[in-house]
Amino acid sequence: MKTNAFEVASRYVYPSLRRRLVGVLRERGLKQTEIAELLHITQSAVSRYLGEERGKLIDVSSFPDVDREVRELAERILAERPGEYWIHTELVKLSLEFLGKGYGCSFHAGIDPDINPEECRVCIELFG
């Protein structure tokens, strides 16, 4: 195993979730600067998410339950305007839930040919 579960979460899943969150906020009509302020990230980062330069390897919107949770998170952020640590905590939780449901297995096997998704149950057992 060249790439472990935590690397998959931090390098691929988390950025993909954040990209989707930025996209949902953009769908709500927010400007890049407003999104950046809400999420406590730079406007440049927002631009890279929207331009699919970041977080594009996993389309989390293709998982209806995850997409619903990201949309709910966006609504909560709009309503409550929480701090950056709260948002980070929620994105980490979503990342681990994503892995725990086995959604990252085929992706993980695609980037690490040593992974056999039929044998590896690390994420499902740890985070499921």
Side-chain angles (χ1 to χ4, degrees):
M1 179 183 331
K2 295 176 188 131
T3 307
N4 68 51
F6 291 108
E7 289 175 292
V8 172
S10 67
R11 292 179 66 197
Y12 304 103
V13 178
Y14 185 101
S16 296
L17 288 165
R18 186 183 265 176
R19 177 178 159 262
R20 182 65 184 135
L21 180 58
V22 166
V24 168
L25 292 170
R26 185 68 168 166
E27 289 170 7
R28 294 288 311 267
L30 276 71
K31 296 177 184 172
Q32 288 185 19
T33 53
E34 294 170 318
I35 295 168
E37 185 178 312
L38 271 175
L39 299 182
H40 307 279
I41 60 177
T42 66
Q43 184 274 327
S44 176
V46 171
S47 177
R48 289 196 296 274
Y49 284 118
L50 292 172
E52 297 186 359
E53 295 172 37
R54 277 192 186 173
K56 69 176 182 174
L57 295 178
I58 301 173
D59 179 10
V60 297
S61 69
S62 65
F63 302 92
D65 55 332
V66 176
D67 196 51
R68 183 186 72 249
E69 288 188 57
V70 171
R71 288 178 176 283
E72 290 171 1
L73 177 59
E75 292 304 319
R76 201 155 168 209
I77 290 169
L78 284 168
E80 299 173 17
R81 301 189 178 264
E84 66 184 304
Y85 296 119
W86 185 88
I87 295 169
H88 175 68
T89 299
E90 294 304 307
L91 286 171
V92 169
K93 284 180 193 175
L94 278 173
S95 297
L96 297 179
E97 286 176 28
F98 184 91
L99 294 176
K101 292 176 180 180
Y103 293 161
C105 296
S106 61
F107 176 80
H108 192 179
I111 61 168
D112 187 344
D114 292 341
I115 298 293
N116 180 346
E118 294 176 17
E119 290 181 19
C120 179
R121 299 195 40 82
V122 172
C123 294
I124 294 167
E125 289 178 17
L126 285 176
F127 313 123

